[in-house]
Amino acid sequence: MSWFTDVQILSLVFLVSLVLVGLIRRLVAKETLPLPPGPLRFPIVGNALSMDKAEPWNTYIAWGVKYGDIFSIRLFNQDVIVINSEEIAKDLLEKRSSNYSDRPFLPTLKPFGWDLNFAFTPYGNEWRLARRFFHQSFRAEAAPNFHPVQMRKAILMLHALLETPQNFVDHLTGFSASIVMSTTFDYDTKPRNDPALDILDKALLGLRYMSPEATVLLSAFPFLMRLPGWFPGAGVSRAAASSLKYVMESIEKPLQYVQKRIETGTGEPCLVSDLMKRKEYQDETRRDEVDRAIKQASWTAFVGGSETTSSVLMNFVLAMVLYPHVQERAYAEIKAAIGTSRLPNHNDRPFLPYIEAIVRESMRWLPIVPLGVAHAATNSDIYQGYHIPKGATVVANTWAMTRNEAIYAKASEFIPERFLDEKGQLLVADSPSYAFGFGRRICPGRYVAEGSVWACVALILTVFEISKAKDAHGDDIHFVPTFTVGLTRHPNTFPCSFTPRAGMNSDRLAQLIAESDPN
Ligand code: HEM
């Protein structure tokens, strides 16, 4: 007896044909649809030579005005889709995140040792495991666990600022790194010349080679990466060799430190010790995979947590120098909400909306990752009638989003009031989340980052007035801010003065600390 009747077989064939025809049509349509519009491409180089090398986001804004909020360019052999609006970024990177969570290939990644940073790992199982390990310590619900260490380190930073205010950059970077070192490795950094941070500083030099814009030439001519160090023009391969050495050192040494403390039973819980005690780590068959994921989770926390937080804090200090009136309103709010007999802590956060607005504006005003971290399309796609090719690099231009005058009037100015209503209350619950990226790749360190920035901003505003530094004649030193170049951006050091508020000195600070809740 036959299982199917002829009619059923015919219907099945018909259905399968329909699906196949549909698929072929879609494929053909995708291939024949145009790419998003964009500037004229030159042979071989495409648009690579038409961009502002130091600040490509400005070129992207100018092209966006001409071609729209989504446009395409070509950098040598790479299609790049640039998005200048938050709405389109959300449409693609969030609503279609299963297709837009990959990372573009960077020829520098492995040679520089940066493949152990899971922020650049391709979308897949390796990335999933490292992100899951990271998430267990840094997820939103765990953020309050960081409050005591954030306050402790912020208070140490106040002492350091009282002692040597001229070294404020060191104190801000030291504060940011010490929080991550403590929570990731249970390691207390030294106030000066900490060996772990010194090595990290050297390893971080490789970060400037980790963006599609910075590596266009190397993607097109990979042999440049393989030139021997002595060869003229082999700067990149020399930089790669040095980066690899420091990256490996900055990964291995802290892990050995934790391992030793576990063996001697002396350590406090931290991300790495928790991970090393997991069942997966004990499973010999998975040891290599889990070992690598621990390295990725901890090194990415180390890297992601140090430079980012301190960059936002540098923006904050610069804003206080250039917009001094903001401090008066902030201090008045602190005095009115909690008085002058103790320091603010995270429990006061809901009652200090202006401080919150300053934190948000410090992230928006000069975004520290102006082009985010580039995503890549896993498969080809159609959006607004345009073809987005498989493998295309997708860049969300955060800088452009912060400069949207329809949302942020006088966008290039530092105006915390833009986040408040006429009664001084916060307009929306969240900060501009696009500063932390999009979709499945959104920054998983954002909760701890916001808590650290908040602690530092609130405490500095309570204890100090920040102003322009004075020259020998007592006149203000004027300066034009300059900024670092690379994937992340923050002000280079600038002259400024931290003056303790009336009656503030080490004794008074000690008294305030004694009266304060450590959380
Ligand atoms: C205010 C400070 C920070 C800003 C503005 C920031 C911003 C970003 C951005 C834009 C991305 C790329 C997101 C995307 O691909 O769409 C990112 C990724 C990431 N950030 Fe942050 N970040 C900050 C602080 C931190 C901190 C403190 C940590 C660690 C404790 C951290 C860890 C990471 C990690 C692990 C990734 C990679 C995520 C992935 O690829 O799956 N970040 N961050």
PDB file of all heavy atoms in Angstrom, residues 103 118-119 127 131 134 138 180 300-301 304-305 308-309 312 363 368-369 372-373 375 435-438 440-445 448-449, ligand 1:
ATOM      1  N   ARG A 103      31.266  40.386  14.280  1.00  0.00           N
ATOM      2  CA  ARG A 103      32.255  41.461  14.189  1.00  0.00           C
ATOM      3  C   ARG A 103      32.995  41.326  12.871  1.00  0.00           C
ATOM      4  O   ARG A 103      33.210  40.205  12.387  1.00  0.00           O
ATOM      5  CB  ARG A 103      33.289  41.339  15.317  1.00  0.00           C
ATOM      6  CG  ARG A 103      32.747  41.519  16.726  1.00  0.00           C
ATOM      7  CD  ARG A 103      32.291  42.920  16.991  1.00  0.00           C
ATOM      8  NE  ARG A 103      32.058  43.174  18.407  1.00  0.00           N
ATOM      9  CZ  ARG A 103      31.226  44.093  18.855  1.00  0.00           C
ATOM     10  NH1 ARG A 103      30.527  44.835  18.013  1.00  0.00           N
ATOM     11  NH2 ARG A 103      31.072  44.282  20.131  1.00  0.00           N
ATOM     12  N   PHE A 118      36.993  39.482  24.176  1.00  0.00           N
ATOM     13  CA  PHE A 118      35.807  38.943  23.493  1.00  0.00           C
ATOM     14  C   PHE A 118      34.924  40.020  22.866  1.00  0.00           C
ATOM     15  O   PHE A 118      33.986  39.718  22.140  1.00  0.00           O
ATOM     16  CB  PHE A 118      35.014  37.986  24.398  1.00  0.00           C
ATOM     17  CG  PHE A 118      34.129  38.630  25.429  1.00  0.00           C
ATOM     18  CD1 PHE A 118      32.847  39.068  25.105  1.00  0.00           C
ATOM     19  CD2 PHE A 118      34.547  38.762  26.745  1.00  0.00           C
ATOM     20  CE1 PHE A 118      32.017  39.637  26.059  1.00  0.00           C
ATOM     21  CE2 PHE A 118      33.728  39.332  27.713  1.00  0.00           C
ATOM     22  CZ  PHE A 118      32.464  39.777  27.352  1.00  0.00           C
ATOM     23  N   ALA A 119      35.264  41.299  23.105  1.00  0.00           N
ATOM     24  CA  ALA A 119      34.532  42.367  22.414  1.00  0.00           C
ATOM     25  C   ALA A 119      34.748  42.274  20.903  1.00  0.00           C
ATOM     26  O   ALA A 119      33.976  42.816  20.128  1.00  0.00           O
ATOM     27  CB  ALA A 119      34.987  43.729  22.920  1.00  0.00           C
ATOM     28  N   TRP A 127      32.316  33.244  21.731  1.00  0.00           N
ATOM     29  CA  TRP A 127      31.876  34.546  22.268  1.00  0.00           C
ATOM     30  C   TRP A 127      30.799  34.345  23.353  1.00  0.00           C
ATOM     31  O   TRP A 127      30.853  34.964  24.415  1.00  0.00           O
ATOM     32  CB  TRP A 127      31.316  35.409  21.132  1.00  0.00           C
ATOM     33  CG  TRP A 127      30.540  36.588  21.630  1.00  0.00           C
ATOM     34  CD1 TRP A 127      31.046  37.747  22.128  1.00  0.00           C
ATOM     35  CD2 TRP A 127      29.107  36.707  21.706  1.00  0.00           C
ATOM     36  NE1 TRP A 127      30.025  38.589  22.512  1.00  0.00           N
ATOM     37  CE2 TRP A 127      28.821  37.971  22.259  1.00  0.00           C
ATOM     38  CE3 TRP A 127      28.041  35.875  21.358  1.00  0.00           C
ATOM     39  CZ2 TRP A 127      27.519  38.414  22.474  1.00  0.00           C
ATOM     40  CZ3 TRP A 127      26.734  36.321  21.580  1.00  0.00           C
ATOM     41  CH2 TRP A 127      26.500  37.583  22.130  1.00  0.00           C
ATOM     42  N   ARG A 131      31.033  35.710  27.166  1.00  0.00           N
ATOM     43  CA  ARG A 131      30.068  36.747  27.574  1.00  0.00           C
ATOM     44  C   ARG A 131      29.241  36.237  28.761  1.00  0.00           C
ATOM     45  O   ARG A 131      28.934  36.994  29.677  1.00  0.00           O
ATOM     46  CB  ARG A 131      29.174  37.135  26.393  1.00  0.00           C
ATOM     47  CG  ARG A 131      28.192  38.232  26.787  1.00  0.00           C
ATOM     48  CD  ARG A 131      27.817  39.161  25.689  1.00  0.00           C
ATOM     49  NE  ARG A 131      26.790  40.068  26.157  1.00  0.00           N
ATOM     50  CZ  ARG A 131      26.705  41.354  25.877  1.00  0.00           C
ATOM     51  NH1 ARG A 131      27.588  41.915  25.113  1.00  0.00           N
ATOM     52  NH2 ARG A 131      25.733  42.093  26.351  1.00  0.00           N
ATOM     53  N   PHE A 134      31.326  36.539  31.849  1.00  0.00           N
ATOM     54  CA  PHE A 134      31.449  37.956  32.220  1.00  0.00           C
ATOM     55  C   PHE A 134      30.158  38.434  32.894  1.00  0.00           C
ATOM     56  O   PHE A 134      30.170  39.098  33.927  1.00  0.00           O
ATOM     57  CB  PHE A 134      31.723  38.764  30.956  1.00  0.00           C
ATOM     58  CG  PHE A 134      31.908  40.233  31.187  1.00  0.00           C
ATOM     59  CD1 PHE A 134      33.179  40.775  31.322  1.00  0.00           C
ATOM     60  CD2 PHE A 134      30.821  41.094  31.258  1.00  0.00           C
ATOM     61  CE1 PHE A 134      33.357  42.136  31.528  1.00  0.00           C
ATOM     62  CE2 PHE A 134      30.981  42.440  31.469  1.00  0.00           C
ATOM     63  CZ  PHE A 134      32.258  42.970  31.598  1.00  0.00           C
ATOM     64  N   PHE A 138      28.816  40.912  36.214  1.00  0.00           N
ATOM     65  CA  PHE A 138      28.585  42.326  35.887  1.00  0.00           C
ATOM     66  C   PHE A 138      27.142  42.650  35.489  1.00  0.00           C
ATOM     67  O   PHE A 138      26.862  43.743  35.032  1.00  0.00           O
ATOM     68  CB  PHE A 138      29.555  42.765  34.778  1.00  0.00           C
ATOM     69  CG  PHE A 138      30.991  42.774  35.224  1.00  0.00           C
ATOM     70  CD1 PHE A 138      31.835  41.716  34.960  1.00  0.00           C
ATOM     71  CD2 PHE A 138      31.495  43.839  35.954  1.00  0.00           C
ATOM     72  CE1 PHE A 138      33.154  41.714  35.386  1.00  0.00           C
ATOM     73  CE2 PHE A 138      32.811  43.861  36.388  1.00  0.00           C
ATOM     74  CZ  PHE A 138      33.646  42.794  36.109  1.00  0.00           C
ATOM     75  N   VAL A 180      37.967  47.555  38.749  1.00  0.00           N
ATOM     76  CA  VAL A 180      37.929  46.330  37.947  1.00  0.00           C
ATOM     77  C   VAL A 180      38.913  45.295  38.501  1.00  0.00           C
ATOM     78  O   VAL A 180      38.617  44.106  38.582  1.00  0.00           O
ATOM     79  CB  VAL A 180      38.260  46.643  36.474  1.00  0.00           C
ATOM     80  CG1 VAL A 180      38.317  45.374  35.674  1.00  0.00           C
ATOM     81  CG2 VAL A 180      37.210  47.553  35.900  1.00  0.00           C
ATOM     82  N   THR A 300      38.978  40.999  29.167  1.00  0.00           N
ATOM     83  CA  THR A 300      38.074  41.994  28.574  1.00  0.00           C
ATOM     84  C   THR A 300      37.550  42.933  29.660  1.00  0.00           C
ATOM     85  O   THR A 300      37.402  44.138  29.444  1.00  0.00           O
ATOM     86  CB  THR A 300      36.925  41.310  27.818  1.00  0.00           C
ATOM     87  OG1 THR A 300      37.469  40.276  27.007  1.00  0.00           O
ATOM     88  CG2 THR A 300      36.170  42.286  26.944  1.00  0.00           C
ATOM     89  N   ALA A 301      37.300  42.373  30.863  1.00  0.00           N
ATOM     90  CA  ALA A 301      36.857  43.232  31.972  1.00  0.00           C
ATOM     91  C   ALA A 301      37.973  44.215  32.333  1.00  0.00           C
ATOM     92  O   ALA A 301      37.736  45.419  32.523  1.00  0.00           O
ATOM     93  CB  ALA A 301      36.506  42.376  33.185  1.00  0.00           C
ATOM     94  N   GLY A 304      38.227  46.635  29.274  1.00  0.00           N
ATOM     95  CA  GLY A 304      36.992  47.413  29.089  1.00  0.00           C
ATOM     96  C   GLY A 304      36.724  48.311  30.268  1.00  0.00           C
ATOM     97  O   GLY A 304      36.172  49.396  30.125  1.00  0.00           O
ATOM     98  N   GLY A 305      37.119  47.840  31.457  1.00  0.00           N
ATOM     99  CA  GLY A 305      36.758  48.586  32.651  1.00  0.00           C
ATOM    100  C   GLY A 305      37.712  49.720  32.975  1.00  0.00           C
ATOM    101  O   GLY A 305      37.350  50.643  33.698  1.00  0.00           O
ATOM    102  N   THR A 308      37.663  52.983  29.725  1.00  0.00           N
ATOM    103  CA  THR A 308      36.351  53.567  29.439  1.00  0.00           C
ATOM    104  C   THR A 308      35.876  54.493  30.554  1.00  0.00           C
ATOM    105  O   THR A 308      35.534  55.651  30.310  1.00  0.00           O
ATOM    106  CB  THR A 308      35.311  52.457  29.250  1.00  0.00           C
ATOM    107  OG1 THR A 308      35.438  51.554  30.344  1.00  0.00           O
ATOM    108  CG2 THR A 308      35.493  51.725  27.950  1.00  0.00           C
ATOM    109  N   THR A 309      35.879  53.970  31.785  1.00  0.00           N
ATOM    110  CA  THR A 309      35.355  54.762  32.901  1.00  0.00           C
ATOM    111  C   THR A 309      36.187  56.032  33.090  1.00  0.00           C
ATOM    112  O   THR A 309      35.636  57.127  33.264  1.00  0.00           O
ATOM    113  CB  THR A 309      35.385  53.909  34.194  1.00  0.00           C
ATOM    114  OG1 THR A 309      34.744  52.673  33.911  1.00  0.00           O
ATOM    115  CG2 THR A 309      34.674  54.585  35.333  1.00  0.00           C
ATOM    116  N   VAL A 312      35.329  58.756  30.540  1.00  0.00           N
ATOM    117  CA  VAL A 312      34.124  59.540  30.852  1.00  0.00           C
ATOM    118  C   VAL A 312      34.448  60.556  31.952  1.00  0.00           C
ATOM    119  O   VAL A 312      34.013  61.714  31.907  1.00  0.00           O
ATOM    120  CB  VAL A 312      32.960  58.614  31.303  1.00  0.00           C
ATOM    121  CG1 VAL A 312      31.755  59.434  31.716  1.00  0.00           C
ATOM    122  CG2 VAL A 312      32.582  57.644  30.196  1.00  0.00           C
ATOM    123  N   MET A 363      28.481  61.426  29.363  1.00  0.00           N
ATOM    124  CA  MET A 363      28.568  60.316  28.393  1.00  0.00           C
ATOM    125  C   MET A 363      28.157  60.796  27.005  1.00  0.00           C
ATOM    126  O   MET A 363      28.668  60.332  26.001  1.00  0.00           O
ATOM    127  CB  MET A 363      27.612  59.188  28.786  1.00  0.00           C
ATOM    128  CG  MET A 363      27.802  58.712  30.180  1.00  0.00           C
ATOM    129  SD  MET A 363      28.075  56.960  30.213  1.00  0.00           S
ATOM    130  CE  MET A 363      27.984  56.656  31.944  1.00  0.00           C
ATOM    131  N   ILE A 368      32.755  58.447  24.306  1.00  0.00           N
ATOM    132  CA  ILE A 368      34.133  57.932  24.383  1.00  0.00           C
ATOM    133  C   ILE A 368      34.405  56.827  23.362  1.00  0.00           C
ATOM    134  O   ILE A 368      35.545  56.476  23.123  1.00  0.00           O
ATOM    135  CB  ILE A 368      34.458  57.439  25.805  1.00  0.00           C
ATOM    136  CG1 ILE A 368      33.477  56.337  26.221  1.00  0.00           C
ATOM    137  CG2 ILE A 368      34.443  58.578  26.793  1.00  0.00           C
ATOM    138  CD1 ILE A 368      34.064  55.429  27.247  1.00  0.00           C
ATOM    139  N   VAL A 369      33.336  56.236  22.806  1.00  0.00           N
ATOM    140  CA  VAL A 369      33.539  55.281  21.694  1.00  0.00           C
ATOM    141  C   VAL A 369      32.722  55.839  20.527  1.00  0.00           C
ATOM    142  O   VAL A 369      31.610  55.395  20.258  1.00  0.00           O
ATOM    143  CB  VAL A 369      33.070  53.850  22.059  1.00  0.00           C
ATOM    144  CG1 VAL A 369      33.729  52.822  21.150  1.00  0.00           C
ATOM    145  CG2 VAL A 369      33.331  53.507  23.506  1.00  0.00           C
ATOM    146  N   GLY A 372      31.210  53.428  18.191  1.00  0.00           N
ATOM    147  CA  GLY A 372      30.907  52.142  18.809  1.00  0.00           C
ATOM    148  C   GLY A 372      31.966  51.119  18.412  1.00  0.00           C
ATOM    149  O   GLY A 372      33.072  51.473  17.994  1.00  0.00           O
ATOM    150  N   VAL A 373      31.643  49.849  18.576  1.00  0.00           N
ATOM    151  CA  VAL A 373      32.511  48.786  18.053  1.00  0.00           C
ATOM    152  C   VAL A 373      31.741  48.219  16.859  1.00  0.00           C
ATOM    153  O   VAL A 373      30.553  47.888  16.991  1.00  0.00           O
ATOM    154  CB  VAL A 373      32.765  47.698  19.120  1.00  0.00           C
ATOM    155  CG1 VAL A 373      33.672  46.600  18.558  1.00  0.00           C
ATOM    156  CG2 VAL A 373      33.403  48.315  20.376  1.00  0.00           C
ATOM    157  N   HIS A 375      29.848  46.272  14.049  1.00  0.00           N
ATOM    158  CA  HIS A 375      29.172  44.974  13.925  1.00  0.00           C
ATOM    159  C   HIS A 375      29.397  44.475  12.490  1.00  0.00           C
ATOM    160  O   HIS A 375      29.936  45.199  11.645  1.00  0.00           O
ATOM    161  CB  HIS A 375      27.676  45.125  14.162  1.00  0.00           C
ATOM    162  CG  HIS A 375      27.304  45.427  15.594  1.00  0.00           C
ATOM    163  ND1 HIS A 375      26.270  44.798  16.248  1.00  0.00           N
ATOM    164  CD2 HIS A 375      27.831  46.298  16.512  1.00  0.00           C
ATOM    165  CE1 HIS A 375      26.165  45.260  17.491  1.00  0.00           C
ATOM    166  NE2 HIS A 375      27.096  46.180  17.673  1.00  0.00           N
ATOM    167  N   ALA A 435      25.186  55.069  23.775  1.00  0.00           N
ATOM    168  CA  ALA A 435      26.609  55.236  24.100  1.00  0.00           C
ATOM    169  C   ALA A 435      27.241  53.891  24.447  1.00  0.00           C
ATOM    170  O   ALA A 435      28.457  53.732  24.402  1.00  0.00           O
ATOM    171  CB  ALA A 435      26.778  56.211  25.253  1.00  0.00           C
ATOM    172  N   PHE A 436      26.402  52.928  24.830  1.00  0.00           N
ATOM    173  CA  PHE A 436      26.908  51.601  25.202  1.00  0.00           C
ATOM    174  C   PHE A 436      26.718  50.585  24.076  1.00  0.00           C
ATOM    175  O   PHE A 436      26.910  49.389  24.287  1.00  0.00           O
ATOM    176  CB  PHE A 436      26.196  51.102  26.458  1.00  0.00           C
ATOM    177  CG  PHE A 436      26.565  51.880  27.695  1.00  0.00           C
ATOM    178  CD1 PHE A 436      25.669  52.762  28.286  1.00  0.00           C
ATOM    179  CD2 PHE A 436      27.820  51.743  28.265  1.00  0.00           C
ATOM    180  CE1 PHE A 436      26.013  53.480  29.421  1.00  0.00           C
ATOM    181  CE2 PHE A 436      28.181  52.454  29.406  1.00  0.00           C
ATOM    182  CZ  PHE A 436      27.268  53.323  29.983  1.00  0.00           C
ATOM    183  N   GLY A 437      26.287  51.019  22.908  1.00  0.00           N
ATOM    184  CA  GLY A 437      26.154  50.103  21.776  1.00  0.00           C
ATOM    185  C   GLY A 437      24.755  49.525  21.672  1.00  0.00           C
ATOM    186  O   GLY A 437      23.803  50.043  22.277  1.00  0.00           O
ATOM    187  N   PHE A 438      24.656  48.406  20.937  1.00  0.00           N
ATOM    188  CA  PHE A 438      23.328  47.917  20.553  1.00  0.00           C
ATOM    189  C   PHE A 438      23.232  46.393  20.585  1.00  0.00           C
ATOM    190  O   PHE A 438      24.218  45.687  20.348  1.00  0.00           O
ATOM    191  CB  PHE A 438      23.011  48.371  19.130  1.00  0.00           C
ATOM    192  CG  PHE A 438      22.886  49.858  18.994  1.00  0.00           C
ATOM    193  CD1 PHE A 438      23.982  50.625  18.670  1.00  0.00           C
ATOM    194  CD2 PHE A 438      21.672  50.495  19.232  1.00  0.00           C
ATOM    195  CE1 PHE A 438      23.894  52.005  18.555  1.00  0.00           C
ATOM    196  CE2 PHE A 438      21.565  51.877  19.127  1.00  0.00           C
ATOM    197  CZ  PHE A 438      22.679  52.626  18.783  1.00  0.00           C
ATOM    198  N   ARG A 440      22.683  42.401  20.899  1.00  0.00           N
ATOM    199  CA  ARG A 440      23.311  41.334  21.693  1.00  0.00           C
ATOM    200  C   ARG A 440      24.739  41.679  22.094  1.00  0.00           C
ATOM    201  O   ARG A 440      25.320  41.018  22.933  1.00  0.00           O
ATOM    202  CB  ARG A 440      23.302  40.029  20.888  1.00  0.00           C
ATOM    203  CG  ARG A 440      21.896  39.544  20.637  1.00  0.00           C
ATOM    204  CD  ARG A 440      21.836  38.236  19.897  1.00  0.00           C
ATOM    205  NE  ARG A 440      20.454  38.055  19.448  1.00  0.00           N
ATOM    206  CZ  ARG A 440      19.999  36.990  18.825  1.00  0.00           C
ATOM    207  NH1 ARG A 440      20.807  35.983  18.566  1.00  0.00           N
ATOM    208  NH2 ARG A 440      18.735  36.922  18.456  1.00  0.00           N
ATOM    209  N   ARG A 441      25.306  42.706  21.439  1.00  0.00           N
ATOM    210  CA  ARG A 441      26.676  43.097  21.748  1.00  0.00           C
ATOM    211  C   ARG A 441      26.722  44.297  22.681  1.00  0.00           C
ATOM    212  O   ARG A 441      27.818  44.819  22.955  1.00  0.00           O
ATOM    213  CB  ARG A 441      27.401  43.456  20.453  1.00  0.00           C
ATOM    214  CG  ARG A 441      27.729  42.271  19.595  1.00  0.00           C
ATOM    215  CD  ARG A 441      28.863  41.444  20.240  1.00  0.00           C
ATOM    216  NE  ARG A 441      29.357  40.490  19.288  1.00  0.00           N
ATOM    217  CZ  ARG A 441      30.573  39.943  19.331  1.00  0.00           C
ATOM    218  NH1 ARG A 441      31.403  40.234  20.294  1.00  0.00           N
ATOM    219  NH2 ARG A 441      30.933  39.076  18.437  1.00  0.00           N
ATOM    220  N   ILE A 442      25.561  44.773  23.136  1.00  0.00           N
ATOM    221  CA  ILE A 442      25.575  45.977  23.980  1.00  0.00           C
ATOM    222  C   ILE A 442      26.544  45.775  25.150  1.00  0.00           C
ATOM    223  O   ILE A 442      26.711  44.645  25.629  1.00  0.00           O
ATOM    224  CB  ILE A 442      24.143  46.321  24.474  1.00  0.00           C
ATOM    225  CG1 ILE A 442      24.119  47.725  25.065  1.00  0.00           C
ATOM    226  CG2 ILE A 442      23.637  45.283  25.475  1.00  0.00           C
ATOM    227  CD1 ILE A 442      22.717  48.261  25.332  1.00  0.00           C
ATOM    228  N   CYS A 443      27.161  46.862  25.578  1.00  0.00           N
ATOM    229  CA  CYS A 443      28.191  46.778  26.619  1.00  0.00           C
ATOM    230  C   CYS A 443      27.647  46.084  27.864  1.00  0.00           C
ATOM    231  O   CYS A 443      26.721  46.584  28.512  1.00  0.00           O
ATOM    232  CB  CYS A 443      28.637  48.194  26.987  1.00  0.00           C
ATOM    233  SG  CYS A 443      29.754  48.224  28.394  1.00  0.00           S
ATOM    234  N   PRO A 444      28.217  44.940  28.243  1.00  0.00           N
ATOM    235  CA  PRO A 444      27.725  44.254  29.436  1.00  0.00           C
ATOM    236  C   PRO A 444      28.317  44.835  30.723  1.00  0.00           C
ATOM    237  O   PRO A 444      27.954  44.405  31.810  1.00  0.00           O
ATOM    238  CB  PRO A 444      28.209  42.809  29.219  1.00  0.00           C
ATOM    239  CG  PRO A 444      29.424  42.935  28.373  1.00  0.00           C
ATOM    240  CD  PRO A 444      29.295  44.198  27.567  1.00  0.00           C
ATOM    241  N   GLY A 445      29.217  45.828  30.583  1.00  0.00           N
ATOM    242  CA  GLY A 445      29.812  46.429  31.780  1.00  0.00           C
ATOM    243  C   GLY A 445      29.136  47.741  32.139  1.00  0.00           C
ATOM    244  O   GLY A 445      29.597  48.466  33.015  1.00  0.00           O
ATOM    245  N   VAL A 448      28.072  48.516  35.982  1.00  0.00           N
ATOM    246  CA  VAL A 448      29.175  48.838  36.886  1.00  0.00           C
ATOM    247  C   VAL A 448      29.811  50.172  36.466  1.00  0.00           C
ATOM    248  O   VAL A 448      30.186  50.989  37.324  1.00  0.00           O
ATOM    249  CB  VAL A 448      30.197  47.682  36.973  1.00  0.00           C
ATOM    250  CG1 VAL A 448      30.776  47.332  35.658  1.00  0.00           C
ATOM    251  CG2 VAL A 448      31.346  48.037  37.895  1.00  0.00           C
ATOM    252  N   ALA A 449      29.871  50.428  35.158  1.00  0.00           N
ATOM    253  CA  ALA A 449      30.466  51.678  34.680  1.00  0.00           C
ATOM    254  C   ALA A 449      29.685  52.875  35.228  1.00  0.00           C
ATOM    255  O   ALA A 449      30.274  53.823  35.758  1.00  0.00           O
ATOM    256  CB  ALA A 449      30.477  51.715  33.155  1.00  0.00           C
TER     257      ALA A 449
HETATM  258  C1  HEM B   1      31.076  54.518  30.477  1.00  0.00           C
HETATM  259  C2  HEM B   1      31.830  53.542  30.148  1.00  0.00           C
HETATM  260  C3  HEM B   1      31.633  52.611  28.985  1.00  0.00           C
HETATM  261  C4  HEM B   1      31.178  52.860  27.710  1.00  0.00           C
HETATM  262  C5  HEM B   1      30.701  54.183  27.134  1.00  0.00           C
HETATM  263  C6  HEM B   1      31.215  51.598  26.995  1.00  0.00           C
HETATM  264  C7  HEM B   1      30.841  51.430  25.677  1.00  0.00           C
HETATM  265  C8  HEM B   1      30.862  50.229  24.993  1.00  0.00           C
HETATM  266  C9  HEM B   1      30.485  50.056  23.607  1.00  0.00           C
HETATM  267  C10 HEM B   1      30.001  51.163  22.677  1.00  0.00           C
HETATM  268  C11 HEM B   1      30.625  48.756  23.293  1.00  0.00           C
HETATM  269  C12 HEM B   1      30.327  48.090  21.949  1.00  0.00           C
HETATM  270  C13 HEM B   1      28.883  47.645  21.924  1.00  0.00           C
HETATM  271  C14 HEM B   1      28.429  47.129  20.568  1.00  0.00           C
HETATM  272  O1  HEM B   1      29.162  46.375  19.946  1.00  0.00           O
HETATM  273  O2  HEM B   1      27.340  47.494  20.109  1.00  0.00           O
HETATM  274  C15 HEM B   1      31.104  48.083  24.485  1.00  0.00           C
HETATM  275  C16 HEM B   1      31.374  46.735  24.554  1.00  0.00           C
HETATM  276  C17 HEM B   1      31.867  46.126  25.681  1.00  0.00           C
HETATM  277  N1  HEM B   1      32.119  46.717  26.916  1.00  0.00           N
HETATM  278 FE1  HEM B   1      31.823  48.636  27.406  1.00  0.00          FE
HETATM  279  N2  HEM B   1      31.682  50.638  27.840  1.00  0.00           N
HETATM  280  C18 HEM B   1      31.936  51.210  29.058  1.00  0.00           C
HETATM  281  C19 HEM B   1      32.411  50.577  30.191  1.00  0.00           C
HETATM  282  C20 HEM B   1      32.686  49.247  30.291  1.00  0.00           C
HETATM  283  C21 HEM B   1      33.162  48.592  31.490  1.00  0.00           C
HETATM  284  C22 HEM B   1      33.387  49.284  32.842  1.00  0.00           C
HETATM  285  C23 HEM B   1      33.338  47.282  31.162  1.00  0.00           C
HETATM  286  C24 HEM B   1      33.824  46.156  32.035  1.00  0.00           C
HETATM  287  C25 HEM B   1      33.699  46.082  33.329  1.00  0.00           C
HETATM  288  C26 HEM B   1      32.966  47.111  29.773  1.00  0.00           C
HETATM  289  C27 HEM B   1      32.987  45.921  29.081  1.00  0.00           C
HETATM  290  C28 HEM B   1      32.595  45.758  27.758  1.00  0.00           C
HETATM  291  C29 HEM B   1      32.630  44.470  27.063  1.00  0.00           C
HETATM  292  C30 HEM B   1      33.057  43.146  27.656  1.00  0.00           C
HETATM  293  C31 HEM B   1      32.183  44.712  25.745  1.00  0.00           C
HETATM  294  C32 HEM B   1      32.080  43.692  24.611  1.00  0.00           C
HETATM  295  C33 HEM B   1      30.671  43.173  24.445  1.00  0.00           C
HETATM  296  C34 HEM B   1      30.538  42.142  23.327  1.00  0.00           C
HETATM  297  O3  HEM B   1      31.182  42.270  22.290  1.00  0.00           O
HETATM  298  O4  HEM B   1      29.769  41.194  23.521  1.00  0.00           O
HETATM  299  N3  HEM B   1      32.581  48.319  29.275  1.00  0.00           N
HETATM  300  N4  HEM B   1      31.250  49.005  25.509  1.00  0.00           N
END
